[in-house]
């Protein structure tokens, strides 16, 4: 009973916030700067697509001409890594670390500190089993896809922050 009461209390507090509560990336981008131009996209198609879809879902329109956009997002670096992070007692690989580092720069009308590079680092661990090589390969592909989607989501938050701080 106490759990239900505390849950209802949290809901009441969230409902009383000045700005509506949004789950993970559902708030629209500020209306002042909705035209976004993406450049420097030497990245995998999955990452490009996740970043574009995230921007469009957030209310931005992707522009093909940099002069038509109020904000330019430049991908400065994109680095995927895979390292061994664990061995068995017989010195066989048992665990991999997959990491993704992406750095962007947001510039445009009213963006605070357009020279500041904004970056994200995401990583996941894969337990490797040498007896099921096909399953491990599939798992690695899934992990890389998840890393790309998560990095795009986090970068979208940084783009929003740059635009929101400029809009205030």
């Amino acid at each position: 009973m106490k759990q239900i009461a505390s849950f209802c209390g949290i809901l009441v507090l969230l409902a009383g916030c000045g700005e509506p509560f949004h789950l993970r990336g559902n708030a629209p981008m500020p209306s002042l700067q909705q035209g976004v131009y993406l450049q420097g996209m030497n990245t995998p198609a999955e990452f490009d697509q996740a970043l574009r879809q995230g921007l469009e879902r957030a209310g931005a329109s992707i522009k093909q001409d940099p002069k038509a956009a109020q904000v330019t997002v430049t991908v400065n670096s994109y680095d995927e890594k895979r390292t061994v992070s664990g061995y068995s007692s017989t010195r066989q690989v048992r665990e991999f670390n997959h990491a993704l580092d992406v750095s962007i720069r947001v510039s445009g009308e009213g963006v605070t500190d357009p020279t500041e590079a904004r970056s994200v680092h995401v990583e996941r661990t894969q337990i490797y089993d040498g007896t099921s090589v096909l399953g491990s390969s599939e798992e690695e592909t899934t992990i890389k896809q998840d890393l790309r989607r998560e990095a795009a989501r986090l970068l979208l938050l940084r783009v929003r922050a740059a635009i929101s701080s400029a809009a205030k």
Side-chain angles (χ1 to χ4, degrees):
M1 191 63 173
K2 282 186 177 182
Q3 291 175 341
I4 294 172
S6 63
F7 180 72
C8 289
I10 291 172
L11 287 178
V12 168
L13 287 173
L14 290 175
C17 292
E19 186 174 314
F21 175 73
H22 297 283
L23 288 176
R24 205 165 153 165
N26 291 334
M29 288 185 79
S31 60
L32 293 177
Q33 303 192 0
Q34 291 190 353
V36 177
Y37 176 71
L38 297 171
Q39 68 181 12
M41 301 295 276
N42 296 331
T43 58
E46 291 170 343
F47 177 77
D48 292 351
Q49 184 179 10
L51 187 58
R52 287 176 192 277
Q53 286 176 349
L55 285 166
E56 287 170 350
R57 267 186 269 132
S61 64
I62 307 298
K63 303 292 183 182
Q64 301 302 320
D65 180 19
K67 293 177 182 171
Q70 292 86 8
V71 174
T72 300
V73 176
T74 306
V75 178
N76 295 326
S77 67
Y78 180 94
D79 187 25
E80 285 186 10
K81 297 178 204 153
R82 183 182 88 161
T83 58
V84 175
S85 60
Y87 294 95
S88 70
S89 59
T90 59
R91 293 187 181 166
Q92 293 179 338
V93 174
R94 289 289 176 217
E95 191 174 281
F96 287 108
N97 242 1
H98 296 273
L100 174 58
D101 294 302
V102 184
S103 174
I104 63 167
R105 194 166 309 255
V106 181
S107 59
E109 297 173 9
V111 174
T112 59
D113 199 5
T115 60
E116 177 186 356
R118 292 162 171 82
S119 60
V120 296
H121 173 83
V122 289
E123 66 181 69
R124 300 284 185 275
T125 302
Q126 174 190 7
I127 306 299
Y128 179 75
D129 182 10
T131 60
S132 62
V133 176
L134 291 177
S136 295
S137 174
E138 241 176 65
E139 182 182 3
E140 182 175 348
T141 302
T142 303
I143 287 173
K144 285 183 179 183
Q145 290 171 345
D146 289 345
L147 283 174
R148 291 170 185 154
R149 280 193 295 268
E150 181 67 7
R153 185 187 72 79
L154 292 173
L155 287 172
L156 178 61
L157 292 174
R158 283 160 179 72
V159 169
R160 278 192 185 154
I163 293 171
S164 295
S165 62
K168 290 181 181 178

